[in-house]
PDB file of all heavy atoms in Angstrom:
ATOM      1  N   ARG A 142      58.757 132.462  54.846  1.00  0.00           N
ATOM      2  CA  ARG A 142      58.344 131.047  54.765  1.00  0.00           C
ATOM      3  C   ARG A 142      56.963 130.837  55.394  1.00  0.00           C
ATOM      4  O   ARG A 142      56.072 130.233  54.780  1.00  0.00           O
ATOM      5  CB  ARG A 142      59.385 130.180  55.482  1.00  0.00           C
ATOM      6  CG  ARG A 142      59.075 128.698  55.511  1.00  0.00           C
ATOM      7  CD  ARG A 142      60.190 127.904  56.151  1.00  0.00           C
ATOM      8  NE  ARG A 142      60.341 128.150  57.569  1.00  0.00           N
ATOM      9  CZ  ARG A 142      59.595 127.605  58.524  1.00  0.00           C
ATOM     10  NH1 ARG A 142      58.617 126.776  58.186  1.00  0.00           N
ATOM     11  NH2 ARG A 142      59.813 127.866  59.790  1.00  0.00           N
ATOM     12  N   LEU A 143      56.771 131.352  56.587  1.00  0.00           N
ATOM     13  CA  LEU A 143      55.520 131.090  57.295  1.00  0.00           C
ATOM     14  C   LEU A 143      54.319 131.762  56.635  1.00  0.00           C
ATOM     15  O   LEU A 143      53.250 131.145  56.520  1.00  0.00           O
ATOM     16  CB  LEU A 143      55.631 131.558  58.742  1.00  0.00           C
ATOM     17  CG  LEU A 143      56.488 130.641  59.615  1.00  0.00           C
ATOM     18  CD1 LEU A 143      56.707 131.253  60.965  1.00  0.00           C
ATOM     19  CD2 LEU A 143      55.828 129.291  59.747  1.00  0.00           C
ATOM     20  N   ARG A 146      53.226 129.789  53.811  1.00  0.00           N
ATOM     21  CA  ARG A 146      52.480 128.600  54.243  1.00  0.00           C
ATOM     22  C   ARG A 146      51.056 128.949  54.641  1.00  0.00           C
ATOM     23  O   ARG A 146      50.117 128.222  54.326  1.00  0.00           O
ATOM     24  CB  ARG A 146      53.174 127.934  55.424  1.00  0.00           C
ATOM     25  CG  ARG A 146      54.288 127.043  54.995  1.00  0.00           C
ATOM     26  CD  ARG A 146      54.570 126.012  56.044  1.00  0.00           C
ATOM     27  NE  ARG A 146      55.636 125.160  55.554  1.00  0.00           N
ATOM     28  CZ  ARG A 146      56.291 124.304  56.311  1.00  0.00           C
ATOM     29  NH1 ARG A 146      55.995 124.196  57.581  1.00  0.00           N
ATOM     30  NH2 ARG A 146      57.229 123.560  55.800  1.00  0.00           N
ATOM     31  N   PHE A 147      50.917 130.057  55.345  1.00  0.00           N
ATOM     32  CA  PHE A 147      49.565 130.477  55.716  1.00  0.00           C
ATOM     33  C   PHE A 147      48.716 130.695  54.462  1.00  0.00           C
ATOM     34  O   PHE A 147      47.508 130.464  54.471  1.00  0.00           O
ATOM     35  CB  PHE A 147      49.597 131.793  56.501  1.00  0.00           C
ATOM     36  CG  PHE A 147      50.157 131.686  57.889  1.00  0.00           C
ATOM     37  CD1 PHE A 147      50.797 132.765  58.470  1.00  0.00           C
ATOM     38  CD2 PHE A 147      50.032 130.525  58.634  1.00  0.00           C
ATOM     39  CE1 PHE A 147      51.316 132.684  59.764  1.00  0.00           C
ATOM     40  CE2 PHE A 147      50.547 130.429  59.922  1.00  0.00           C
ATOM     41  CZ  PHE A 147      51.192 131.513  60.486  1.00  0.00           C
ATOM     42  N   PHE A 183      56.642 131.210  66.476  1.00  0.00           N
ATOM     43  CA  PHE A 183      55.705 130.201  65.982  1.00  0.00           C
ATOM     44  C   PHE A 183      56.431 129.190  65.074  1.00  0.00           C
ATOM     45  O   PHE A 183      56.170 127.985  65.132  1.00  0.00           O
ATOM     46  CB  PHE A 183      54.571 130.885  65.212  1.00  0.00           C
ATOM     47  CG  PHE A 183      53.562 129.930  64.660  1.00  0.00           C
ATOM     48  CD1 PHE A 183      52.663 129.288  65.492  1.00  0.00           C
ATOM     49  CD2 PHE A 183      53.518 129.666  63.297  1.00  0.00           C
ATOM     50  CE1 PHE A 183      51.734 128.389  64.986  1.00  0.00           C
ATOM     51  CE2 PHE A 183      52.593 128.771  62.781  1.00  0.00           C
ATOM     52  CZ  PHE A 183      51.704 128.135  63.622  1.00  0.00           C
ATOM     53  N   TYR A 187      55.907 125.466  66.308  1.00  0.00           N
ATOM     54  CA  TYR A 187      54.936 124.654  65.566  1.00  0.00           C
ATOM     55  C   TYR A 187      55.338 124.402  64.112  1.00  0.00           C
ATOM     56  O   TYR A 187      55.362 123.276  63.652  1.00  0.00           O
ATOM     57  CB  TYR A 187      53.549 125.330  65.572  1.00  0.00           C
ATOM     58  CG  TYR A 187      52.848 125.260  66.897  1.00  0.00           C
ATOM     59  CD1 TYR A 187      52.897 126.328  67.775  1.00  0.00           C
ATOM     60  CD2 TYR A 187      52.143 124.122  67.272  1.00  0.00           C
ATOM     61  CE1 TYR A 187      52.260 126.269  69.010  1.00  0.00           C
ATOM     62  CE2 TYR A 187      51.493 124.057  68.500  1.00  0.00           C
ATOM     63  CZ  TYR A 187      51.560 125.134  69.365  1.00  0.00           C
ATOM     64  OH  TYR A 187      50.927 125.066  70.576  1.00  0.00           O
ATOM     65  N   CYS A 188      55.607 125.479  63.408  1.00  0.00           N
ATOM     66  CA  CYS A 188      55.730 125.338  61.955  1.00  0.00           C
ATOM     67  C   CYS A 188      57.191 125.339  61.520  1.00  0.00           C
ATOM     68  O   CYS A 188      57.650 126.239  60.830  1.00  0.00           O
ATOM     69  CB  CYS A 188      54.957 126.471  61.272  1.00  0.00           C
ATOM     70  SG  CYS A 188      54.631 126.160  59.537  1.00  0.00           S
ATOM     71  N   THR A 189      57.883 124.293  61.938  1.00  0.00           N
ATOM     72  CA  THR A 189      59.291 124.197  61.553  1.00  0.00           C
ATOM     73  C   THR A 189      59.382 123.885  60.058  1.00  0.00           C
ATOM     74  O   THR A 189      58.437 123.372  59.461  1.00  0.00           O
ATOM     75  CB  THR A 189      59.992 123.073  62.339  1.00  0.00           C
ATOM     76  OG1 THR A 189      59.322 121.841  62.043  1.00  0.00           O
ATOM     77  CG2 THR A 189      59.930 123.332  63.836  1.00  0.00           C
ATOM     78  N   SER A 192      59.552 119.667  59.791  1.00  0.00           N
ATOM     79  CA  SER A 192      58.460 118.817  60.287  1.00  0.00           C
ATOM     80  C   SER A 192      57.446 119.650  61.065  1.00  0.00           C
ATOM     81  O   SER A 192      57.438 119.619  62.306  1.00  0.00           O
ATOM     82  CB  SER A 192      59.002 117.677  61.142  1.00  0.00           C
ATOM     83  OG  SER A 192      59.843 118.192  62.146  1.00  0.00           O
ATOM     84  N   PRO A 193      56.606 120.381  60.358  1.00  0.00           N
ATOM     85  CA  PRO A 193      55.585 121.187  61.040  1.00  0.00           C
ATOM     86  C   PRO A 193      54.608 120.300  61.799  1.00  0.00           C
ATOM     87  O   PRO A 193      54.251 119.213  61.349  1.00  0.00           O
ATOM     88  CB  PRO A 193      54.892 121.920  59.882  1.00  0.00           C
ATOM     89  CG  PRO A 193      55.184 121.107  58.669  1.00  0.00           C
ATOM     90  CD  PRO A 193      56.516 120.502  58.887  1.00  0.00           C
ATOM     91  N   ARG A 194      54.181 120.782  62.975  1.00  0.00           N
ATOM     92  CA  ARG A 194      53.259 120.011  63.822  1.00  0.00           C
ATOM     93  C   ARG A 194      51.826 120.398  63.473  1.00  0.00           C
ATOM     94  O   ARG A 194      51.093 120.967  64.286  1.00  0.00           O
ATOM     95  CB  ARG A 194      53.571 120.304  65.283  1.00  0.00           C
ATOM     96  CG  ARG A 194      54.969 119.826  65.695  1.00  0.00           C
ATOM     97  CD  ARG A 194      55.385 120.439  67.018  1.00  0.00           C
ATOM     98  NE  ARG A 194      54.391 120.232  68.054  1.00  0.00           N
ATOM     99  CZ  ARG A 194      54.265 121.022  69.113  1.00  0.00           C
ATOM    100  NH1 ARG A 194      55.069 122.067  69.264  1.00  0.00           N
ATOM    101  NH2 ARG A 194      53.339 120.784  70.016  1.00  0.00           N
ATOM    102  N   CYS A 195      51.404 120.032  62.268  1.00  0.00           N
ATOM    103  CA  CYS A 195      50.094 120.478  61.765  1.00  0.00           C
ATOM    104  C   CYS A 195      48.939 119.951  62.614  1.00  0.00           C
ATOM    105  O   CYS A 195      47.950 120.656  62.821  1.00  0.00           O
ATOM    106  CB  CYS A 195      49.918 120.059  60.320  1.00  0.00           C
ATOM    107  SG  CYS A 195      51.158 120.781  59.223  1.00  0.00           S
ATOM    108  N   ALA A 196      49.058 118.708  63.110  1.00  0.00           N
ATOM    109  CA  ALA A 196      47.946 118.124  63.868  1.00  0.00           C
ATOM    110  C   ALA A 196      47.653 118.926  65.128  1.00  0.00           C
ATOM    111  O   ALA A 196      46.514 118.975  65.577  1.00  0.00           O
ATOM    112  CB  ALA A 196      48.272 116.672  64.225  1.00  0.00           C
ATOM    113  N   GLU A 197      48.664 119.556  65.692  1.00  0.00           N
ATOM    114  CA  GLU A 197      48.479 120.320  66.935  1.00  0.00           C
ATOM    115  C   GLU A 197      48.448 121.823  66.685  1.00  0.00           C
ATOM    116  O   GLU A 197      48.372 122.610  67.624  1.00  0.00           O
ATOM    117  CB  GLU A 197      49.646 120.029  67.889  1.00  0.00           C
ATOM    118  CG  GLU A 197      49.863 118.573  68.178  1.00  0.00           C
ATOM    119  CD  GLU A 197      51.340 118.294  68.462  1.00  0.00           C
ATOM    120  OE1 GLU A 197      51.840 118.740  69.494  1.00  0.00           O
ATOM    121  OE2 GLU A 197      51.980 117.649  67.620  1.00  0.00           O
ATOM    122  N   CYS A 198      48.521 122.223  65.448  1.00  0.00           N
ATOM    123  CA  CYS A 198      48.700 123.652  65.132  1.00  0.00           C
ATOM    124  C   CYS A 198      47.451 124.479  65.476  1.00  0.00           C
ATOM    125  O   CYS A 198      46.348 124.170  65.013  1.00  0.00           O
ATOM    126  CB  CYS A 198      49.015 123.806  63.648  1.00  0.00           C
ATOM    127  SG  CYS A 198      49.142 125.529  63.152  1.00  0.00           S
ATOM    128  N   PRO A 199      47.616 125.538  66.232  1.00  0.00           N
ATOM    129  CA  PRO A 199      46.462 126.346  66.639  1.00  0.00           C
ATOM    130  C   PRO A 199      45.900 127.244  65.529  1.00  0.00           C
ATOM    131  O   PRO A 199      44.843 127.829  65.721  1.00  0.00           O
ATOM    132  CB  PRO A 199      47.021 127.194  67.798  1.00  0.00           C
ATOM    133  CG  PRO A 199      48.486 127.253  67.555  1.00  0.00           C
ATOM    134  CD  PRO A 199      48.865 125.984  66.872  1.00  0.00           C
ATOM    135  N   VAL A 200      46.578 127.364  64.405  1.00  0.00           N
ATOM    136  CA  VAL A 200      46.014 128.158  63.307  1.00  0.00           C
ATOM    137  C   VAL A 200      45.745 127.286  62.073  1.00  0.00           C
ATOM    138  O   VAL A 200      45.594 127.786  60.962  1.00  0.00           O
ATOM    139  CB  VAL A 200      46.925 129.352  62.917  1.00  0.00           C
ATOM    140  CG1 VAL A 200      47.001 130.351  64.042  1.00  0.00           C
ATOM    141  CG2 VAL A 200      48.312 128.903  62.505  1.00  0.00           C
ATOM    142  N   ARG A 201      45.643 125.992  62.306  1.00  0.00           N
ATOM    143  CA  ARG A 201      45.460 125.057  61.205  1.00  0.00           C
ATOM    144  C   ARG A 201      44.255 125.421  60.329  1.00  0.00           C
ATOM    145  O   ARG A 201      44.324 125.310  59.106  1.00  0.00           O
ATOM    146  CB  ARG A 201      45.292 123.652  61.788  1.00  0.00           C
ATOM    147  CG  ARG A 201      45.168 122.564  60.750  1.00  0.00           C
ATOM    148  CD  ARG A 201      44.866 121.226  61.431  1.00  0.00           C
ATOM    149  NE  ARG A 201      44.447 120.246  60.446  1.00  0.00           N
ATOM    150  CZ  ARG A 201      45.260 119.392  59.847  1.00  0.00           C
ATOM    151  NH1 ARG A 201      46.529 119.383  60.155  1.00  0.00           N
ATOM    152  NH2 ARG A 201      44.814 118.550  58.944  1.00  0.00           N
ATOM    153  N   GLU A 202      43.176 125.847  60.966  1.00  0.00           N
ATOM    154  CA  GLU A 202      41.959 126.143  60.188  1.00  0.00           C
ATOM    155  C   GLU A 202      42.152 127.306  59.226  1.00  0.00           C
ATOM    156  O   GLU A 202      41.438 127.417  58.229  1.00  0.00           O
ATOM    157  CB  GLU A 202      40.793 126.445  61.132  1.00  0.00           C
ATOM    158  CG  GLU A 202      40.256 125.204  61.794  1.00  0.00           C
ATOM    159  CD  GLU A 202      39.036 125.494  62.640  1.00  0.00           C
ATOM    160  OE1 GLU A 202      38.508 126.619  62.544  1.00  0.00           O
ATOM    161  OE2 GLU A 202      38.621 124.587  63.374  1.00  0.00           O
ATOM    162  N   GLU A 203      43.096 128.154  59.513  1.00  0.00           N
ATOM    163  CA  GLU A 203      43.347 129.300  58.634  1.00  0.00           C
ATOM    164  C   GLU A 203      44.474 129.052  57.644  1.00  0.00           C
ATOM    165  O   GLU A 203      44.772 129.886  56.804  1.00  0.00           O
ATOM    166  CB  GLU A 203      43.701 130.549  59.476  1.00  0.00           C
ATOM    167  CG  GLU A 203      42.576 131.043  60.332  1.00  0.00           C
ATOM    168  CD  GLU A 203      41.361 131.425  59.499  1.00  0.00           C
ATOM    169  OE1 GLU A 203      41.531 131.973  58.408  1.00  0.00           O
ATOM    170  OE2 GLU A 203      40.233 131.145  59.955  1.00  0.00           O
ATOM    171  N   CYS A 204      45.138 127.905  57.777  1.00  0.00           N
ATOM    172  CA  CYS A 204      46.337 127.649  56.979  1.00  0.00           C
ATOM    173  C   CYS A 204      45.993 127.044  55.621  1.00  0.00           C
ATOM    174  O   CYS A 204      45.180 126.118  55.534  1.00  0.00           O
ATOM    175  CB  CYS A 204      47.249 126.698  57.747  1.00  0.00           C
ATOM    176  SG  CYS A 204      48.736 126.248  56.825  1.00  0.00           S
ATOM    177  N   ALA A 205      46.624 127.565  54.582  1.00  0.00           N
ATOM    178  CA  ALA A 205      46.362 127.075  53.231  1.00  0.00           C
ATOM    179  C   ALA A 205      47.089 125.780  52.924  1.00  0.00           C
ATOM    180  O   ALA A 205      46.776 125.088  51.966  1.00  0.00           O
ATOM    181  CB  ALA A 205      46.758 128.145  52.214  1.00  0.00           C
ATOM    182  N   HIS A 206      48.092 125.437  53.728  1.00  0.00           N
ATOM    183  CA  HIS A 206      48.909 124.251  53.425  1.00  0.00           C
ATOM    184  C   HIS A 206      49.119 123.372  54.648  1.00  0.00           C
ATOM    185  O   HIS A 206      50.257 123.093  55.047  1.00  0.00           O
ATOM    186  CB  HIS A 206      50.268 124.673  52.859  1.00  0.00           C
ATOM    187  CG  HIS A 206      50.177 125.567  51.685  1.00  0.00           C
ATOM    188  ND1 HIS A 206      50.311 126.938  51.777  1.00  0.00           N
ATOM    189  CD2 HIS A 206      49.936 125.290  50.388  1.00  0.00           C
ATOM    190  CE1 HIS A 206      50.175 127.477  50.571  1.00  0.00           C
ATOM    191  NE2 HIS A 206      49.943 126.515  49.716  1.00  0.00           N
ATOM    192  N   PRO A 207      48.030 122.909  55.293  1.00  0.00           N
ATOM    193  CA  PRO A 207      48.217 122.080  56.491  1.00  0.00           C
ATOM    194  C   PRO A 207      48.546 120.623  56.158  1.00  0.00           C
ATOM    195  O   PRO A 207      48.622 120.272  54.975  1.00  0.00           O
ATOM    196  CB  PRO A 207      46.850 122.172  57.162  1.00  0.00           C
ATOM    197  CG  PRO A 207      45.900 122.339  56.033  1.00  0.00           C
ATOM    198  CD  PRO A 207      46.620 123.102  54.954  1.00  0.00           C
ATOM    199  N   ALA A 208      48.709 119.835  57.213  1.00  0.00           N
ATOM    200  CA  ALA A 208      48.870 118.370  57.102  1.00  0.00           C
ATOM    201  C   ALA A 208      50.040 117.965  56.246  1.00  0.00           C
ATOM    202  O   ALA A 208      49.953 117.122  55.373  1.00  0.00           O
ATOM    203  CB  ALA A 208      47.583 117.737  56.550  1.00  0.00           C
ATOM    204  N   ARG A 209      51.171 118.534  56.530  1.00  0.00           N
ATOM    205  CA  ARG A 209      52.383 118.094  55.835  1.00  0.00           C
ATOM    206  C   ARG A 209      53.020 116.973  56.602  1.00  0.00           C
ATOM    207  O   ARG A 209      52.870 116.909  57.796  1.00  0.00           O
ATOM    208  CB  ARG A 209      53.358 119.263  55.733  1.00  0.00           C
ATOM    209  CG  ARG A 209      52.849 120.289  54.780  1.00  0.00           C
ATOM    210  CD  ARG A 209      53.608 121.582  54.877  1.00  0.00           C
ATOM    211  NE  ARG A 209      53.014 122.485  53.893  1.00  0.00           N
ATOM    212  CZ  ARG A 209      53.637 122.967  52.854  1.00  0.00           C
ATOM    213  NH1 ARG A 209      54.896 122.657  52.626  1.00  0.00           N
ATOM    214  NH2 ARG A 209      53.056 123.772  52.017  1.00  0.00           N
TER     215      ARG A 209
HETATM  216  S1  LIG B   1      48.875 123.855  59.792  1.00  0.00           S
HETATM  217 FE1  LIG B   1      50.982 123.096  59.561  1.00  0.00          FE
HETATM  218  S2  LIG B   1      51.848 124.184  57.786  1.00  0.00           S
HETATM  219 FE2  LIG B   1      50.007 125.328  58.480  1.00  0.00          FE
HETATM  220  S3  LIG B   1      50.794 126.877  59.875  1.00  0.00           S
HETATM  221 FE3  LIG B   1      50.204 125.105  61.125  1.00  0.00          FE
HETATM  222  S4  LIG B   1      52.077 123.899  61.360  1.00  0.00           S
HETATM  223 FE4  LIG B   1      52.412 125.346  59.643  1.00  0.00          FE
END
Side-chain angles (χ1 to χ4, degrees):
R142 179 176 68 80
L143 286 172
R146 278 203 179 168
F147 289 151
F183 180 73
Y187 287 98
C188 197
T189 60
S192 52
R194 296 165 53 205
C195 299
E197 305 150 68
C198 176
V200 294
R201 183 186 167 93
E202 286 184 10
E203 294 300 322
C204 177
H206 306 99
R209 290 167 180 244

